[in-house]
Amino acid sequence: MIKRYVFGDPVETESVLWKPEAADWQDDRLFCRDNAFYGDLSGEEIVYGLGQNVRGINKRGWLYESYCTDDPRHTEEKHTLYGAHNFLVLDGAGVLGIFVDTPGNVVYDIGYTDSRKLSIAPQSADFELYLIEGESPDAVVEVFRRLIGRSYIPPRWAFGYGQSRWGYDSMNQVREVAAGYRDNHIPLDMIFLDIDYMERYKDFTVDKERFPDFRGLVAEMKEQDIRLVPIIDGGVKKEDGYDIYEEGKEKGYFCKDEEGEDFLLGVWPGRCCLPDMLQEEAGRWFGSKYKILLDMGIEGFWNDMNEPAVFYSEKGLAEAFEKIDAFRTQNLDIQSFFEFQGLAAGLSNSPQDYASFYHEYRGERYRHDRVHNLFGYYMTRRAAEAFEELEPEKRILLFSRASCIGMHRFGGIWQGDNHSWWSHLLLNIKMMPSLNMCGFLYTGADIGGFGGDVTEDLLIRWLSFGVFTPLMRNHSAAGTRRQEVYRFGTAELMRDVISVRYKLLPYLYSEYMKAALGGTMLFRPLGFAYRKDGIAGQVEDQLLVGESIMIAPVHEQNAAGRTVYFPEPMKLLRFHGGNVLEEAVYPKGHAYIGMPLGDVCVFLRENHILPLSRGGECVGDVDFAHLERYVWGTDVKPYAYYRDDGETKEFDLEKHVEMLTV
Amino acid sequence: MIKRYVFGDPVETESVLWKPEAADWQDDRLFCRDNAFYGDLSGEEIVYGLGQNVRGINKRGWLYESYCTDDPRHTEEKHTLYGAHNFLVLDGAGVLGIFVDTPGNVVYDIGYTDSRKLSIAPQSADFELYLIEGESPDAVVEVFRRLIGRSYIPPRWAFGYGQSRWGYDSMNQVREVAAGYRDNHIPLDMIFLDIDYMERYKDFTVDKERFPDFRGLVAEMKEQDIRLVPIIDGGVKKEDGYDIYEEGKEKGYFCKDEEGEDFLLGVWPGRCCLPDMLQEEAGRWFGSKYKILLDMGIEGFWNDMNEPAVFYSEKGLAEAFEKIDAFRTQNLDIQSFFEFQGLAAGLSNSPQDYASFYHEYRGERYRHDRVHNLFGYYMTRRAAEAFEELEPEKRILLFSRASCIGMHRFGGIWQGDNHSWWSHLLLNIKMMPSLNMCGFLYTGADIGGFGGDVTEDLLIRWLSFGVFTPLMRNHSAAGTRRQEVYRFGTAELMRDVISVRYKLLPYLYSEYMKAALGGTMLFRPLGFAYRKDGIAGQVEDQLLVGESIMIAPVHEQNAAGRTVYFPEPMKLLRFHGGNVLEEAVYPKGHAYIGMPLGDVCVFLRENHILPLSRGGECVGDVDFAHLERYVWGTDVKPYAYYRDDGETKEFDLEKHVEMLTV
């Protein structure tokens, strides 16, 4: 049962496609006061959701916010990350889904102030609230997903493995990466271009010195079955003579400050203007510019910095310089020194700046902070809508850093600028089901970690989990240790691991498509499937992937295995050295499983089929028609295998599903 | 077998008390080139040691340094923390202990560049190297501990529970904390005073407005069996008329810059001078000043900021202001903006500053960076030596933030400015055995976490581990959530947990004293005790505490239990609601154990005795003479129970040990 409540005069976010009639407020579970909602949490209750955020699958015990934020240090004390995903599922005495539809901030106190209390406080009085009751978390999620519409479906090649790095700043560097993979027979489908390909970090430009024949490079790579996927920034460089800046300025497409002047902020290129992605004409204009790169043969993009990230505003910087002067003559003690240090740090993404510029949205003017979470969404949506016009028959790869619910229909996300930390591998694991609930299916984290220096074992372990995430990308920042797998002494182990992805592809793609078309989850917490099991709901580092398998990745350094909780009997399939070994069936309970570096273990559920291909060095190599079937049990249920051409948009479950039997 | 090698002309650190004859370099295991050492690591080899540092009990897979550093964000990519502990134990084909005796930096590549290679690179050509071969890690540690001398022994009351917070800035605040504990019958032995008690952060002063009757307050608290433990800073405020500054300046006791002027740096009070703790007369002078507080009834201290932490140097700050000016007129792009932001951040603890002042040490002049790691050591040592003169019969509590090996004879350490992160509870667990190896027995982390906001469950779980650490202190930073246990709705659970400490005290104190006097470890990794067990060596979150028990703390949010690995059969004793419940004997292998919030579980080894007292609200209440004995097995070995008066210094195993039988 769904109830929709309208508070004040909400901004229409277009997150929800199908709106039930609004009801008068009345709820037994939540108490409403001053446009905030309060409830009790029973001892055993689990709180799922919030998409991309810190901490666990169970969100109990912290204070969260929903405010798209560019903060690369995802430590436990943070409250929000790049996305704003206002959907929760409470599983206690009953099951309740809660969605707050608002483009501004929402503060969630989930047992932080008091471990038995919940509060949800939208920071604006104008919002819509949806309450969904259901038999189970799965059922509530399915209803919610129907409200918000079908998840984005990328081309099938985007399920291949990709290599990325901030720093591929010449054609030869790209060629070297391609050769590193192809020469070593390590599968690869994509090379991502970070900001280095651009001319002075200007959107939709290519640096002519470093990439003199970009179009040729794109074609040359495609010959090798490798797609180049360039980055696009949310800000447009303020530079006289730069056509996109000139055009945006002339047509008034940029966000304005209080005085009606173009709001100036610093991002990669230095001083920039922000296209008003929310204003339809401006957004469409920006979206139309992707054609420049499509015309060079590009088939995929990643949208960055669209929280929007603000290194500084023109005004904030000037003020900071003034304040700095006041510190010159002081005796800087513990208070004043920290204030001084905070001046530079506090320049970025400041609430003051977010309150100092404006959007035109659906015919009205809004101060940015009121509609903050829509920026990345509309940047991505306008690009997707442009692709729909420019390439109506073809799927284009698109994913974003910032997002809110609604954007899941138009693109995927990556999980932001993480670090080469074991704890971020674990965070990646935990975030997958939370994102899936909110409609984000095409997602993954930067494998190996973006910031900081990776170690061989971390990269191997992360790849061993990454083989299951739809977006499987190895990415790292300039100045960190090089992270391409062929550079390591253990490259052979890494090749074995990446190859597992290509064996799994028919299953993963099939499960992805069923989840997208059916509004279900690809990654499910154990607590969803085994609700009556007292332990399953506490397991934060194992997941169900699709209907047939469970995974339990190793996420600790120097561990040669781990304990696994089996909520029901399962059979261990071990990918080892290019082979699939069928090992023991483990009974319900805990068991320690040896998992040396390079092995990928999956746990096959009884009477379920896992179809595998023979693999390949790119998605194009994979034979989706001839599959091996792994199975155990005496009452095997047929597997609904989804297969399409992977390129066009005729998605149809009935037409594309074939029932596989043993 | 011990070998001692001398390279170049080493600085005598006085870390080692007993030096074997120096040998000519010759070793099968390590290869020496350019004063660095290279070795192979076998697949199964475990590398223990490095005391206070990031990552695991097994240090494989990272790059570490030994350079005392004030950095409150202990994330995985860091290389060094507050202490410099150059002792490793390799347990592979053979067992090898390695100690690098040097006061400067040492870089350890333990399977980072190549997972099968080890390198140790002292950053100076002048150092001593000790190699210790032995039958087992335990045996190697015992030999090493004989070299470096007996670990510090605090008064027994310092094994009680203490409450601390940056922010207790009045007599009434202190009284309120005392009352919060005493009125609620929550045990307490210490209240720690952070920088707030001082007058303008000046060492050995008391603010007369906020603490008008400090001496009276100390006595009033002691009446309640609560000791006040004040903080001391490593820097002395530059302030005309401040007697300690004036005296230090006049006598030339401060570190000098290149021109021979007093080196000026910013710390808590703003501009400060650094007493030259390494220069004997200056160090003794500083040590003698603790008498000012001893005379007010104080019996314990914590030495802070003695890495030494440098917020900024006078010169560095001036240069930064100049550089800032150059940024004013630029278009700050991604490179230049990050440079600009880095200017303020980079002011603190900069290598340039550490290379810009000098010490007199043992009659010679040294640039600071060459002898960096000795600063905290000698600050603490000179205080301890002063106590020896001022109070020869009495134990004084003393612990430090910075340290190097050698300092373990003079004081304990706390584990620095951690955060209210679950991962820091885990780091606390992992650091205990690593520190014990290096002689640091009196240690613990800030329970609940110093930075950031704690949650109730984190505090309960951290207390549940903290009941085992010799230093058991709840500490938090100004501006964070208040962390005194009586403030929480679950205070009763927390009281139950803290009470466990007082029941365990006879055992913990006995085990501590035997470890200190016998040169053994209080906390041992499972890999030490069960070397032939393939799994025990990988267990990073369980420890043996003394000879009778194993612990397996819960360190994950929302977990109501955890899997425990039993390397041999053990019996579960559960402290629950003030009672001790004897539960099942678990066989060798893994088992899931329910551990609800508030329960403390210990696992009793077969044929070992765990003696427990009836508890108390302070250490003075605890009856060490009448004990309950918990035991299982048919061939129980007697327990060597150490008991003394806890105050004087007549340490003698034979005299104080009584054999307890069932």
Side-chain angles (χ1 to χ4, degrees):
Chain A
M1 199 186 63
I2 314 172
K3 288 211 169 166
R4 170 170 164 259
Y5 304 100
V6 176
F7 291 80
D9 180 21
V11 180
E12 175 55 59
T13 61
E14 301 185 24
S15 295
V16 172
L17 290 184
W18 172 73
K19 295 199 174 192
E21 200 68 32
D24 289 332
W25 175 257
Q26 204 274 311
D27 192 72
D28 295 339
R29 186 68 200 276
L30 296 177
F31 172 74
C32 174
R33 191 179 59 224
D34 297 337
N35 298 310
F37 305 88
Y38 301 87
D40 294 318
L41 294 169
S42 68
E44 305 295 304
E45 190 146 13
I46 301 178
V47 181
Y48 297 103
L50 293 186
Q52 187 180 25
N53 216 318
V54 295
R55 302 215 171 199
I57 292 174
N58 185 351
K59 307 312 278 188
R60 282 186 76 154
W62 195 233
L63 202 65
Y64 303 89
E65 298 189 38
S66 277
Y67 202 70
C68 299
T69 303
D70 170 27
D71 179 344
R73 298 190 73 85
H74 316 156
T75 41
E76 294 173 39
E77 89 282 15
K78 299 300 167 69
H79 302 287
T80 186
L81 295 174
Y82 307 85
H85 305 135
N86 292 304
F87 179 57
L88 293 176
V89 179
L90 277 53
D91 187 8
V95 182
L96 180 68
I98 303 172
F99 175 55
V100 189
D101 189 4
T102 172
N105 196 7
V106 183
V107 176
Y108 300 85
D109 184 337
I110 308 179
Y112 166 70
T113 302
D114 179 327
S115 55
R116 294 302 181 94
K117 301 280 183 194
L118 165 81
S119 76
I120 300 174
Q123 300 297 290
S124 148
D126 306 307
F127 59 91
E128 301 193 13
L129 182 80
Y130 294 78
L131 298 184
I132 305 171
E133 282 177 14
E135 284 296 299
S136 67
D138 278 322
V140 166
V141 167
E142 281 193 52
V143 170
F144 178 61
R145 298 276 295 283
R146 277 204 298 278
L147 294 188
I148 61 172
R150 204 201 73 210
S151 299
Y152 166 73
I153 296 172
R156 195 167 62 188
W157 54 260
F159 288 83
Y161 167 72
Q163 180 64 57
S164 184
R165 183 172 172 87
W166 170 13
Y168 294 155
D169 63 358
S170 70
M171 294 182 43
N172 278 341
Q173 282 234 15
V174 172
R175 290 181 178 121
E176 189 190 308
V177 172
Y181 278 91
R182 287 288 176 255
D183 292 354
N184 292 290
H185 300 287
I186 305 167
L188 186 76
D189 271 276
M190 301 171 279
I191 295 177
F192 293 83
L193 300 177
D194 207 318
I195 61 178
D196 320 278
Y197 78 92
M198 299 177 176
E199 184 189 83
R200 295 194 294 286
Y201 313 131
K202 291 185 297 192
D203 278 335
F204 311 114
T205 68
V206 174
D207 190 277
K208 287 177 194 61
E209 281 185 25
R210 289 177 286 108
F211 291 83
D213 182 16
F214 190 78
R215 187 188 300 265
L217 183 71
V218 173
E220 179 188 328
M221 288 297 121
K222 191 153 180 196
E223 276 292 296
Q224 299 180 45
D225 287 297
I226 296 170
R227 261 84 170 185
L228 294 186
V229 183
I231 196 169
I232 303 293
D233 182 7
V236 167
K237 187 174 195 299
K238 178 180 187 300
E239 184 181 283
D240 292 339
Y242 167 36
D243 53 353
I244 294 189
Y245 167 70
E246 298 275 9
E247 189 182 351
K249 184 182 162 71
E250 190 195 311
K251 299 208 167 143
Y253 288 155
F254 297 133
C255 292
K256 303 285 185 289
D257 64 17
E258 211 142 43
E259 288 81 40
E261 300 296 315
D262 288 345
F263 173 71
L264 289 178
L265 75 163
V267 212
W268 303 331
R271 301 296 195 282
C272 281
C273 293
L274 275 186
D276 188 353
M277 305 294 182
L278 280 64
Q279 201 268 323
E280 195 164 346
E281 194 183 319
R284 287 186 185 280
W285 164 77
F286 192 81
S288 73
K289 298 301 174 190
Y290 287 76
K291 183 170 190 301
I292 295 167
L293 291 156
L294 289 176
D295 286 348
M296 296 186 194
I298 292 296
E299 298 170 76
F301 300 89
W302 42 312
N303 283 345
D304 198 5
M305 302 291 279
N306 50 3
E307 292 72 26
V310 176
F311 287 174
Y312 56 87
S313 68
E314 181 83 358
K315 285 178 189 167
L317 191 63
E319 279 169 28
F321 278 122
E322 263 177 53
K323 284 186 193 152
I324 284 169
D325 286 334
F327 285 104
R328 268 176 211 261
T329 50
Q330 282 181 46
N331 172 32
L332 298 183
D333 68 3
I334 186 165
Q335 277 87 15
S336 50
F337 179 68
F338 288 164
E339 275 170 38
F340 169 68
Q341 276 198 322
L343 268 183
L347 274 172
S348 298
N349 309 321
S350 82
Q352 291 84 335
D353 286 339
Y354 286 139
S356 74
F357 65 95
Y358 294 81
H359 295 275
E360 291 284 333
Y361 179 56
R362 299 170 65 94
E364 297 204 38
R365 184 166 175 260
Y366 292 99
R367 202 172 76 177
H368 174 77
D369 52 354
R370 281 200 60 199
V371 292
H372 175 77
N373 294 330
L374 295 181
F375 192 87
Y377 165 16
Y378 275 95
M379 176 185 180
T380 301
R381 176 172 174 167
R382 293 311 177 203
E385 288 168 344
F387 301 155
E388 196 63 39
E389 282 176 26
L390 297 164
E391 299 273 12
E393 305 300 324
K394 187 176 166 183
R395 305 185 207 168
I396 302 288
L397 172 60
L398 182 62
F399 59 97
S400 171
R401 195 170 70 184
S403 64
C404 70
I405 291 174
M407 202 204 85
H408 70 286
R409 302 194 297 272
F410 302 98
I413 60 169
W414 85 98
Q415 290 165 18
D417 296 346
N418 62 1
H419 273 73
S420 297
W421 294 347
W422 291 86
S423 57
H424 278 183
L425 164 54
L426 180 57
L427 188 61
N428 183 190
I429 295 167
K430 292 176 178 181
M431 225 145 28
M432 295 304 294
S434 306
L435 281 167
N436 276 196
M437 284 171 223
C438 300
F440 291 91
L441 294 181
Y442 189 75
T443 182
D446 288 349
I447 290 171
F450 177 69
D453 294 320
V454 79
T455 59
E456 280 177 80
D457 54 353
L458 176 59
L459 184 52
I460 295 170
R461 293 301 190 189
W462 211 323
L463 287 165
S464 303
F465 171 64
V467 295
F468 301 99
T469 63
L471 169 60
M472 183 188 180
R473 178 174 79 146
N474 175 338
H475 184 43
S476 56
T480 64
R481 186 180 193 178
R482 294 295 297 248
Q483 215 162 277
E484 297 83 8
V485 306
Y486 54 82
R487 295 179 183 274
F488 295 93
T490 42
E492 273 191 42
L493 285 184
M494 299 190 197
R495 177 176 59 203
D496 287 347
V497 172
I498 296 169
S499 299
V500 172
R501 167 66 158 217
Y502 291 78
K503 290 194 173 68
L504 285 168
L505 257 182
Y507 175 73
L508 287 178
Y509 183 74
S510 165
E511 290 299 308
Y512 184 96
M513 294 303 291
K514 290 188 290 180
L517 300 173
T520 59
M521 292 160 66
L522 177 58
F523 289 86
R524 284 161 79 216
L526 268 51
F528 268 49
Y530 310 95
R531 288 180 65 216
K532 302 297 170 204
D533 179 311
I535 293 173
Q538 293 176 45
V539 176
E540 292 267 347
D541 62 355
Q542 300 177 205
L543 295 170
L544 294 162
V545 184
E547 64 176 62
S548 299
I549 60 172
M550 180 181 81
I551 59 170
V554 174
H555 52 81
E556 283 174 25
Q557 190 161 30
N558 294 314
R562 54 164 289 178
T563 50
V564 176
Y565 178 63
F566 293 95
E568 61 174 342
M570 293 185 190
K571 180 174 198 165
L572 167 57
L573 298 182
R574 183 187 299 273
F575 294 87
H576 171 85
N579 300 309
V580 187
L581 311 176
E582 297 193 57
E583 299 193 1
V585 171
Y586 288 85
K588 177 174 162 66
H590 287 91
Y592 177 86
I593 314 273
M595 301 183 191
L597 284 174
D599 281 13
V600 176
C601 292
V602 307
F603 303 97
L604 182 58
R605 298 174 74 184
E606 191 173 10
N607 295 321
H608 285 72
I609 297 174
L610 177 67
L612 296 179
S613 84
R614 272 184 225 113
E617 288 190 28
C618 63
V619 175
D621 274 0
V622 173
D623 182 351
F624 286 80
H626 300 92
L627 306 176
E628 288 183 81
R629 289 155 211 204
Y630 289 83
V631 66
W632 71 280
T634 52
D635 186 21
V636 177
K637 67 171 198 175
Y639 176 72
Y641 177 51
Y642 180 100
R643 180 160 63 104
D644 61 16
D645 65 12
E647 294 178 10
T648 63
K649 298 176 179 172
E650 281 182 57
F651 311 121
D652 187 313
L653 269 180
E654 282 192 22
K655 189 171 141 199
H656 291 116
V657 161
E658 171 193 353
M659 297 311 292
L660 300 187
T661 51
V662 187
Chain B
M1 200 186 61
I2 314 171
K3 288 210 167 169
R4 170 172 164 258
Y5 304 100
V6 176
F7 291 81
D9 179 20
V11 179
E12 175 55 58
T13 61
E14 301 185 24
S15 294
V16 173
L17 291 183
W18 172 72
K19 294 198 174 193
E21 201 67 32
D24 289 331
W25 175 256
Q26 203 273 311
D27 191 74
D28 295 340
R29 186 69 200 276
L30 297 177
F31 172 74
C32 174
R33 191 178 59 225
D34 298 336
N35 299 311
F37 304 88
Y38 301 87
D40 293 319
L41 294 169
S42 69
E44 305 298 302
E45 190 146 12
I46 300 177
V47 182
Y48 296 104
L50 292 186
Q52 187 180 25
N53 217 317
V54 295
R55 301 215 172 202
I57 292 174
N58 186 353
K59 307 312 280 189
R60 282 187 77 154
W62 194 235
L63 203 64
Y64 303 90
E65 298 190 38
S66 277
Y67 202 70
C68 299
T69 302
D70 171 27
D71 179 345
R73 297 190 74 84
H74 315 156
T75 41
E76 293 173 41
E77 89 282 16
K78 299 301 166 68
H79 302 288
T80 186
L81 295 174
Y82 306 85
H85 305 137
N86 292 303
F87 179 58
L88 293 176
V89 179
L90 277 54
D91 187 9
V95 182
L96 180 67
I98 303 172
F99 175 55
V100 189
D101 189 5
T102 173
N105 195 7
V106 183
V107 177
Y108 300 85
D109 184 336
I110 307 180
Y112 167 70
T113 302
D114 180 326
S115 55
R116 293 303 181 93
K117 301 280 183 194
L118 165 81
S119 75
I120 300 173
Q123 301 296 290
S124 149
D126 307 308
F127 60 90
E128 301 193 14
L129 182 79
Y130 294 78
L131 297 183
I132 304 171
E133 282 178 12
E135 285 295 301
S136 67
D138 278 321
V140 165
V141 167
E142 281 194 51
V143 170
F144 177 62
R145 298 276 294 285
R146 279 204 298 278
L147 293 187
I148 61 171
R150 203 202 72 210
S151 298
Y152 166 71
I153 296 172
R156 195 167 61 187
W157 55 259
F159 288 84
Y161 168 72
Q163 179 64 58
S164 184
R165 183 172 171 88
W166 170 14
Y168 294 155
D169 64 357
S170 71
M171 293 179 49
N172 278 342
Q173 282 236 14
V174 173
R175 288 183 181 121
E176 188 190 310
V177 172
Y181 278 92
R182 287 288 176 253
D183 293 353
N184 292 290
H185 301 288
I186 305 167
L188 187 76
D189 272 276
M190 300 170 281
I191 295 175
F192 294 83
L193 300 177
D194 207 318
I195 62 177
D196 320 278
Y197 78 92
M198 300 177 176
E199 183 189 82
R200 295 193 294 284
Y201 313 131
K202 291 185 297 190
D203 278 334
F204 311 114
T205 67
V206 174
D207 191 278
K208 285 175 195 64
E209 280 183 28
R210 288 176 287 108
F211 291 83
D213 182 17
F214 191 76
R215 188 189 299 264
L217 183 70
V218 173
E220 179 187 328
M221 287 298 123
K222 191 152 179 198
E223 275 292 298
Q224 299 181 43
D225 287 298
I226 295 169
R227 262 82 172 186
L228 294 186
V229 183
I231 196 169
I232 303 292
D233 181 7
V236 167
K237 186 174 196 300
K238 180 180 187 300
E239 183 180 284
D240 293 339
Y242 167 35
D243 53 352
I244 295 189
Y245 167 71
E246 297 275 10
E247 187 182 351
K249 184 181 162 72
E250 190 196 310
K251 298 208 167 142
Y253 287 154
F254 298 133
C255 292
K256 303 283 185 290
D257 65 16
E258 211 141 41
E259 289 81 39
E261 300 295 317
D262 288 345
F263 172 72
L264 289 178
L265 74 163
V267 211
W268 302 331
R271 302 297 195 281
C272 282
C273 293
L274 274 185
D276 188 354
M277 306 293 182
L278 280 65
Q279 201 268 323
E280 196 165 344
E281 195 183 319
R284 286 185 186 281
W285 165 76
F286 192 82
S288 73
K289 298 301 175 191
Y290 288 75
K291 184 170 188 298
I292 295 167
L293 291 157
L294 289 176
D295 287 348
M296 295 187 196
I298 292 296
E299 298 170 76
F301 300 89
W302 41 313
N303 284 344
D304 198 5
M305 303 292 279
N306 50 4
E307 293 71 26
V310 177
F311 286 175
Y312 57 87
S313 68
E314 180 84 357
K315 286 178 189 166
L317 190 64
E319 279 170 29
F321 278 121
E322 262 178 53
K323 283 185 194 153
I324 284 169
D325 285 334
F327 284 104
R328 268 175 210 263
T329 49
Q330 283 182 45
N331 172 30
L332 298 183
D333 69 2
I334 185 164
Q335 277 87 17
S336 50
F337 179 68
F338 287 166
E339 275 170 40
F340 168 68
Q341 277 198 322
L343 268 183
L347 273 173
S348 298
N349 310 320
S350 83
Q352 293 83 333
D353 286 338
Y354 286 139
S356 74
F357 65 95
Y358 293 82
H359 296 276
E360 291 284 332
Y361 180 56
R362 298 171 65 94
E364 296 203 39
R365 184 166 176 263
Y366 292 98
R367 202 172 77 178
H368 174 78
D369 52 354
R370 281 199 60 200
V371 292
H372 175 76
N373 295 331
L374 296 181
F375 192 86
Y377 167 15
Y378 275 95
M379 176 184 182
T380 301
R381 176 172 175 166
R382 293 312 178 203
E385 288 167 345
F387 301 155
E388 195 63 40
E389 282 177 28
L390 296 164
E391 299 273 11
E393 305 299 324
K394 186 176 166 183
R395 305 185 207 168
I396 302 288
L397 172 59
L398 182 62
F399 60 95
S400 171
R401 195 170 69 184
S403 64
C404 71
I405 291 173
M407 202 203 85
H408 70 286
R409 302 194 297 273
F410 302 98
I413 60 170
W414 85 98
Q415 291 165 20
D417 296 345
N418 61 2
H419 272 72
S420 298
W421 294 348
W422 292 85
S423 58
H424 278 183
L425 164 55
L426 181 57
L427 188 61
N428 183 190
I429 296 167
K430 292 176 179 181
M431 223 144 30
M432 294 304 295
S434 306
L435 281 167
N436 277 195
M437 284 171 222
C438 300
F440 291 92
L441 295 182
Y442 189 75
T443 182
D446 289 348
I447 291 171
F450 178 69
D453 294 321
V454 79
T455 58
E456 281 178 78
D457 54 353
L458 176 59
L459 183 53
I460 295 170
R461 293 301 190 188
W462 211 323
L463 287 165
S464 304
F465 171 65
V467 296
F468 301 100
T469 63
L471 169 60
M472 184 189 179
R473 180 174 76 146
N474 175 337
H475 183 43
S476 57
T480 64
R481 185 180 193 176
R482 294 294 298 248
Q483 215 163 275
E484 297 83 8
V485 306
Y486 55 81
R487 293 179 184 274
F488 294 94
T490 43
E492 273 190 42
L493 285 184
M494 300 190 196
R495 176 176 60 202
D496 287 347
V497 171
I498 296 169
S499 299
V500 172
R501 167 65 159 218
Y502 291 78
K503 291 193 171 69
L504 284 168
L505 256 182
Y507 175 73
L508 287 177
Y509 184 73
S510 166
E511 290 299 308
Y512 184 96
M513 294 303 292
K514 291 189 289 180
L517 299 173
T520 58
M521 291 159 68
L522 176 59
F523 289 86
R524 287 159 78 215
L526 268 50
F528 269 48
Y530 309 95
R531 289 181 63 217
K532 303 297 171 203
D533 179 311
I535 292 172
Q538 293 175 45
V539 176
E540 293 266 347
D541 62 354
Q542 300 178 205
L543 296 170
L544 294 163
V545 184
E547 64 177 62
S548 300
I549 60 172
M550 180 179 82
I551 59 171
V554 173
H555 52 83
E556 282 174 25
Q557 190 161 31
N558 294 316
R562 54 163 289 177
T563 51
V564 176
Y565 178 62
F566 294 95
E568 60 175 343
M570 294 185 190
K571 179 174 198 164
L572 167 57
L573 299 183
R574 181 187 298 273
F575 293 86
H576 172 84
N579 300 309
V580 188
L581 311 176
E582 296 193 58
E583 298 193 2
V585 171
Y586 288 85
K588 179 173 160 65
H590 287 90
Y592 177 86
I593 314 274
M595 302 184 191
L597 283 175
D599 281 13
V600 177
C601 292
V602 307
F603 303 98
L604 182 59
R605 298 173 75 184
E606 190 174 9
N607 295 321
H608 285 71
I609 297 173
L610 176 67
L612 296 180
S613 84
R614 272 184 226 114
E617 287 190 28
C618 63
V619 174
D621 274 359
V622 173
D623 182 351
F624 285 81
H626 300 93
L627 306 175
E628 288 183 80
R629 289 153 211 205
Y630 288 83
V631 65
W632 71 281
T634 53
D635 186 21
V636 177
K637 67 172 199 176
Y639 176 72
Y641 177 51
Y642 180 99
R643 179 159 64 105
D644 62 15
D645 65 13
E647 293 179 10
T648 64
K649 297 176 180 173
E650 280 181 58
F651 311 121
D652 188 313
L653 268 181
E654 282 192 22
K655 190 171 140 200
H656 291 115
V657 162
E658 171 193 354
M659 297 311 292
L660 300 187
T661 52
V662 187

